[in-house]
Every structure is written in structure tokens, then in C-alpha cells.
Amino acid sequence: MNSHLSRRALLGGAATAFTFAAMPRVFAQAASPAPTGPFAQAPLGYAFDALEPNIDAKTMETHYLRHHGAFITNLNNFAKDNGVLASAPVEKLLAEWQQLPEAARMGIKNNLGGHANHSMFWQIMAPGGAKTPEGDLKAAIDRDLGGLDKLKADFNAAGGRVFGSGWVFVTVEKDGKLALTTRPNQDNPIMDGKMVLFGNDVWEHAYYLKYQNRRAEYLANWWNVANWSKIGERFAQAKAGTLKI
Ligand code: MN
């Protein structure tokens, strides 16, 4: 390619990007595919570019549509041969995963965990959400996790120590206390009888396009998009026993 063509290609790319940026956000936020079984994705609730620059639009689009979407497709395929998947809530299936049909148990467990983890993840991020915890949630973080600054430091350190792929979570334990924990792969603390208050995805697909190998930088920047309003709602629901995935 000579320099003239290269320049034209660049200009063409810029024009395309401008057209996309000018589109109303409702168009930029592509709908998830129509479900073909009992499992479906909740709407993302914001545009793919809404969390820029902390999480880039291409990562959000790929993560929501392709990665989470694959769990939905897989679960709907499993549901064709495993009727329990059509009749039980996700939370119950996760809590009782060891009773799933043996032939498909690990596959269903991994995809259920992936669905639950990502459903939580999209909810607890937002552009312009509350920047700090308030009320009962702030009190619980101070009491159980040493305050917000210590929580962030410990959460980032724990996320950095996850070897390979996994998640870092803050859970609500059976006694109502908050705890910091990690899980490998797509495991989810509901599988161990806990409730998930919030968590961050440290699989490379969550950050690699923008941050490459700099997971620590992703973890640090991620707090800029944490939605403390929603996390506070989830805490109230956890205490009331009404928290969903
Ligand atoms: Mn993910």
C-alpha cells in the first residue's frame, strides 16, 4: 500500500468512526440476540462506549455480545436435554449445581457461572453512578473491610493474584458480613452458599484490548465505573433475602 492509499484508508476509517459516534446511543447499544430457550441476557442498560476511557467500547461490545452471549447460547442448548434448566431459577441452579445431571454437570456449571457473573457485572458498572458507598453499605465496608481505601487496595491485590482467568468478589456471608474472595474460571460464590455483592472480571478478555498485560492498571481504573448506587441496592436486597444474580 502506498502512502496515498494509506492516507485515504485512514480518512475513510475516520469518516466511519465519526458516523458511528454521531448515531444516537440507542443504536450504538445493540440488542442482545433473541433468546432461543429459557435463558436470556438482560439489556446492558448503557451504550458500549459509555464506560470509556476506563473500559473501551470494543471490549464492552465483544464482552457483552460474544462472551456473555456464548454462555446464553450454551445454556439454551443444554436446556434442550436437561429440563431442570427450564424450570429452576438461576440462583437455585447455582446453589445446587452438584445435583445437576451428571453427564452435563461441569458444562452447565461453567456456563451458569459465566451467565451469573456477567449479569452481575453489567449491573454494577455505570457512567456517572455514585462514586462512593453510602449509608448501611458504607458502614458495612468500614466494619468488615477496613474502609473503602483498604477495600480497593485489597481487592486490586487479590484480583492481581488470580492466576490465569477468574474473578474477584465482595460477598455477603451467611452472617451478613462482607468478605473479599476470588474464584477461578467462571465459578461463582453462590455455588458455596454466599451472595455476591459485586465483583470484577479479571479474565484477559475483560481488559486486554486496551490494557494488554497491565491488569493492575485495569483494576485501578475500574473503580471509576463502579456503580455504588446499584451496589447499595444489592446490599439492601442481600439483607432482605431478595438478591438475584
Ligand atoms: Mn468476562
Side-chain angles (χ1 to χ4, degrees), residues 20-131:
F20 234 88
M23 287 171 73
R25 286 198 160 190
V26 66
F27 288 106
Q29 184 195 318
S32 52
T36 56
F39 294 89
Q41 270 182 301
L44 184 59
Y46 42 82
F48 293 131
D49 65 358
L51 306 182
E52 292 265 13
N54 301 288
I55 304 179
D56 62 284
K58 191 66 186 172
T59 293
M60 287 299 296
E61 179 179 354
T62 308
H63 202 173
Y64 176 79
L65 290 178
R66 306 285 168 232
H67 290 273
H68 189 181
F71 297 127
I72 300 294
T73 300
N74 293 340
L75 287 169
N76 284 328
N77 284 333
F78 277 121
K80 291 172 187 165
D81 298 322
N82 298 275
V84 65
L85 294 183
S87 57
V90 171
E91 299 80 12
K92 182 175 167 64
L93 292 168
L94 285 168
E96 300 175 2
W97 71 270
Q98 294 183 53
Q99 295 165 38
L100 289 167
E102 189 171 1
R105 186 175 298 155
M106 295 312 290
I108 295 173
K109 168 186 179 254
N110 288 337
N111 284 281
L112 271 177
H115 175 38
N117 287 336
H118 289 84
S119 296
M120 172 277 299
F121 189 54
W122 312 131
Q123 289 174 41
I124 56 88
M125 299 189 292
K131 293 302 174 202

Side-chain angles (χ1 to χ4, degrees), residues 63 67 118 167 186 201 203 205-206:
H63 202 173
H67 290 273
H118 289 84
W167 289 76
Q186 295 295 350
D201 188 343
W203 284 61
H205 66 233

